[in-house]
């Protein structure tokens, strides 16, 4: 049997209402914060990601779907969106026409990770990028925005972690101190952390090994080495969160995987979805745009995984509204009236009423079963005695009542009833 590729998933009609529901809420909240949607291609030239995310990160070194196309250009399916948005921002000189661009996206992403619960190779993110201001109030807005979406979805068991990575200069100084400390414990570090020690020392904080974590407990904290400006920036972010009654805890080990962060980083994690617990993450990146060839422009953003949000909602028993209900199912009583079913169906559908009927020559009983399966609000019977009297029999499937409607040329009254039922 032909199967989908490991780590990819079909979203079938039985589940699509969950996706539509989440995406609707996401779009509404982005709109209330005045973020405008941006869509970029599924793939980019590889250098877009290579130059931004950082060569030594897991994404670039192990996870990208990269291939040469027929003209021998190296192409990569996007593993994250920030780099793609920044590429578009620079290419279209978006900073010239507007000094602050608040953008959002919803898009599939691709990473060749080991598939497991909550971790896929094609997954879906929504997120925001606000480009053009270094205000700490904007860092706070991004965190509040992500928090509010998760709250509006009804997810409860969450915690907000924040940290500050300061500016690259203080981070470089700190890395030397960290390296001096870890050298003393080098032989006890896990193999993975030994590799990170050489290539990307801050990432040792992401280690899952309990021995590594034990060593890290006594490591110097980057927060103690931030410059005055960074501390002030961080203090305002925390104050705004407090003013908005968003509980957070400062986690000095929250370095996040990517190289481009400066100042604030944050993550919202769920206690309801197992090991892959991060629902969303993000932070500030004041040097990225310049690094990719644009004018120096500060930025801040976040990305959230839709699969994990849906999983958290399912695990917390949060219902997904499903408005996929049919307004009416037309049941054909006399086979010779099939053309009329078609005609009425067209008139109703043309008026925006959700209608379906039988195409399988089924018995009346089977048609009624189908109407029930589709959860139709009304059944309209086409044919029978009523029809010869010039009326249609209408059954309200919610309360079981039946009524008759005169068949007018334009079926106006039927349309009115259906509309009233919406
Ligand atoms: P990141 O870009 O790695 O910070 O990821 C942001 C969010 O995307 C995470 O918090 C997850 O919710 C989601 N995510 C990242 N990688 C995956 C994956 N492989 N499968 C499913 N969701 C993911």
């Amino acid at each position: 049997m032909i199967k989908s590729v490991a780590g990819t998933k079909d979203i079938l009609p039985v589940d699509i209402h969950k996706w539509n529901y989440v995406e609707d809420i996401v779009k509404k909240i982005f709109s209330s914060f005045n973020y405008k949607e941006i869509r970029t291609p599924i793939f980019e030239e590889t250098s877009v990601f290579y130059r931004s995310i950082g060569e030594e990160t897991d994404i670039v070194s192990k996870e990208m779907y990269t291939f040469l196309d027929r003209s021998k250009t190296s192409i990569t399916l996007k593993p994250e969106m920030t780099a793609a948005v920044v590429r578009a921002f620079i290419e279209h000189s978006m900073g010239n026409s507007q000094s602050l661009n608040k953008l959002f996206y919803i898009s599939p992403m691709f990473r060749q990770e080991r598939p497991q619960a909550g971790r896929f190779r094609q997954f879906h993110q929504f997120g925001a990028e606000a480009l053009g201001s270094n205000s700490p109030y904007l860092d706070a807005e991004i965190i509040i925005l992500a928090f509010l979406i998760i709250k509006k979805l009804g997810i409860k068991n969450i915690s907000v972690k924040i940290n500050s990575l300061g500016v690259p200069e203080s981070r470089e100084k700190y890395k030397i101190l960290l390296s001096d400390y870890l050298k003393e414990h080098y032989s006890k570090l896990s193999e993975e952390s030994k590799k990170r020690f050489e290539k990307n020392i801050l990432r040792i904080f992401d280690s899952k090994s309990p021995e590594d974590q034990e060593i890290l407990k006594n490591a110097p904290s980057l927060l103690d080495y931030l410059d005055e400006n960074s501390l002030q920036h961080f203090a305002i972010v925390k104050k705004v969160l407090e003013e908005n009654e968003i509980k957070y805890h400062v986690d000095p080990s929250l370095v996040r995987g990517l190289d481009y962060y400066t100042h604030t980083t944050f993550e919202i994690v769920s206690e309801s979805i197992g090991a892959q617990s991060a629902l969303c993450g993000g932070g500030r990146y004041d040097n990225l745009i310049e690094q990719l060839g644009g004018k120096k422009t500060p930025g801040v953003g976040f990305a959230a995984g839709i699969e994990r949000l849906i999983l958290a909602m399912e695990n917390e028993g949060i219902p997904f509204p499903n408005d996929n209900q049919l307004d009416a199912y037309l049941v054909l009583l006399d086979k010779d009236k099939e053309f009329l079913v078609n005609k009425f169906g067209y008139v109703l559908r043309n008026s925006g009423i959700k209608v379906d009927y039988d195409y399988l020559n089924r018995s009346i009983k089977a048609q009624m079963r189908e109407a029930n399966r589709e959860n139709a609000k009304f059944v309209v019977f086409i044919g029978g005695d009523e029809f010869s009297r010039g009326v249609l029999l209408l059954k309200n499937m919610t309360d079981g009542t039946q009524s008759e409607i005169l068949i007018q040329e334009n079926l106006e009254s039927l349309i009115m009833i259906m509309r009233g039922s919406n």
Side-chain angles (χ1 to χ4, degrees), residues 59 79-80 111 113 118-125 256 258 261 267-268 277-282 303-309:
I59 292 185
E80 60 109 52
R111 294 182 197 172
E113 299 193 78
R119 194 195 259 174
F120 304 97
R121 291 181 165 176
Q122 173 173 340
F123 59 100
H124 299 78
Q125 287 184 337
R256 298 192 36 81
L258 316 183
Y261 287 114
E267 231 167 60
I268 302 181
S277 62
L279 293 176
C280 73
I306 303 183
E307 283 82 358
R308 290 191 197 170
L309 288 169

Side-chain angles (χ1 to χ4, degrees), residues 163-182 184 202 205 216-232 234 250 252 263:
N163 189 25
S164 173
L165 300 181
V167 290
E169 297 74 40
S170 39
R171 200 152 68 213
E172 288 314 312
K173 278 191 211 143
Y174 169 73
K175 277 186 189 169
I176 297 169
L177 294 171
L178 181 65
S179 149
D180 287 346
Y181 170 78
L182 288 175
E184 292 167 27
L202 285 182
F205 283 108
L216 288 168
K217 267 189 195 156
N218 297 318
S221 165
L222 173 56
L223 286 174
D224 295 332
Y225 297 92
L226 296 184
D227 62 82
E228 202 44 47
N229 253 343
S230 303
L231 283 172
Q232 225 171 35
F234 195 39
V250 175
H263 294 291

Side-chain angles (χ1 to χ4, degrees), residues 186-198:
Y186 186 81
S187 59
K188 286 190 241 125
L189 287 176
S190 66
E191 284 313 306
E192 185 66 32
S193 287
K194 280 181 181 156
K195 275 190 220 144
R196 287 176 177 172
F197 183 90
E198 305 300 336

Side-chain angles (χ1 to χ4, degrees), residues 363-422:
S363 68
I364 297 170
K365 213 167 139 193
Q367 292 181 62
M368 285 305 286
R369 258 204 310 273
E370 189 61 15
N372 274 317
R373 208 184 57 77
E374 290 284 354
N375 207 6
K377 293 174 195 162
F378 288 93
V379 164
V380 185
F381 295 95
I382 313 284
D385 292 346
E386 290 82 8
F387 202 81
S388 32
R389 285 194 285 115
V391 294
L392 282 176
L393 184 61
L394 181 70
K395 181 171 179 179
N396 180 325
M397 300 294 277
T398 318
D399 59 17
T401 55
Q402 301 204 13
S403 48
E404 291 182 351
I405 323 165
L406 277 175
I407 308 171
Q408 293 168 350
E409 229 171 79
N410 57 8
L411 290 174
E412 204 49 56
S413 53
L414 191 55
I415 292 168
M416 298 290 278
I417 292 175
M418 302 280 165
R419 287 234 170 94
S421 73
N422 280 329

Side-chain angles (χ1 to χ4, degrees), residues 70-296:
R70 285 172 202 274
S71 54
K72 302 275 182 286
T73 306
S74 181
I75 295 291
T76 295
L77 302 184
K78 60 186 170 190
E80 60 109 52
M81 192 68 174
T82 307
V85 170
V86 167
R87 194 268 310 138
F89 174 84
I90 298 169
E91 184 172 339
H92 305 287
S93 308
M94 291 169 74
N96 291 350
S97 45
Q98 207 168 328
S99 34
L100 175 60
N101 278 269
K102 301 210 294 183
L103 308 167
F104 85 88
Y105 59 84
I106 303 179
S107 172
M109 302 292 161
F110 306 87
R111 294 182 197 172
Q112 193 159 6
E113 299 193 78
R114 194 167 53 79
Q116 62 187 95
R119 194 195 259 174
F120 304 97
R121 291 181 165 176
Q122 173 173 340
F123 59 100
H124 299 78
Q125 287 184 337
F126 62 81
E129 313 293 349
L131 309 176
S133 161
N134 56 18
S135 165
Y137 290 91
L138 201 56
D139 305 37
E141 172 170 293
I142 286 285
I143 300 172
I144 292 168
L145 173 53
F147 178 84
L148 196 62
I149 290 173
I150 292 170
K151 191 174 137 196
K152 281 275 184 296
L153 291 173
I155 299 169
K156 292 212 166 58
N157 299 323
I158 56 165
S159 51
V160 180
K161 300 194 282 185
I162 62 171
N163 189 25
S164 173
L165 300 181
V167 290
E169 297 74 40
S170 39
R171 200 152 68 213
E172 288 314 312
K173 278 191 211 143
Y174 169 73
K175 277 186 189 169
I176 297 169
L177 294 171
L178 181 65
S179 149
D180 287 346
Y181 170 78
L182 288 175
K183 263 183 206 150
E184 292 167 27
H185 305 272
Y186 186 81
S187 59
K188 286 190 241 125
L189 287 176
S190 66
E191 284 313 306
E192 185 66 32
S193 287
K194 280 181 181 156
K195 275 190 220 144
R196 287 176 177 172
F197 183 90
E198 305 300 336
K199 295 187 162 167
N200 193 349
I201 192 163
L202 285 182
R203 294 255 5 250
I204 292 183
F205 283 108
D206 291 339
S207 167
K208 296 270 182 294
S209 139
E211 290 81 19
D212 289 351
Q213 285 304 330
E214 200 50 43
I215 295 169
L216 288 168
K217 267 189 195 156
N218 297 318
S221 165
L222 173 56
L223 286 174
D224 295 332
Y225 297 92
L226 296 184
D227 62 82
E228 202 44 47
N229 253 343
S230 303
L231 283 172
Q232 225 171 35
H233 187 102
F234 195 39
I236 296 176
V237 175
K238 289 187 288 186
K239 175 96 168 53
V240 181
L241 294 182
E242 283 152 26
E243 292 292 330
N244 284 279
E245 291 174 4
I246 294 179
K247 288 204 188 76
Y248 63 83
H249 73 270
V250 175
D251 179 354
S253 71
L254 183 67
V255 294
R256 298 192 36 81
L258 316 183
D259 277 357
Y260 53 58
Y261 287 114
T262 51
H263 294 291
T264 317
T265 55
F266 80 101
E267 231 167 60
I268 302 181
V269 297
S270 159
E271 278 112 60
S272 310
I273 56 171
Q276 300 303 314
S277 62
L279 293 176
C280 73
R284 177 166 279 287
Y285 45 88
D286 287 347
N287 304 317
L288 178 61
I289 296 173
E290 196 180 22
Q291 201 176 310
L292 279 176
K295 261 203 292 236
K296 189 165 169 60

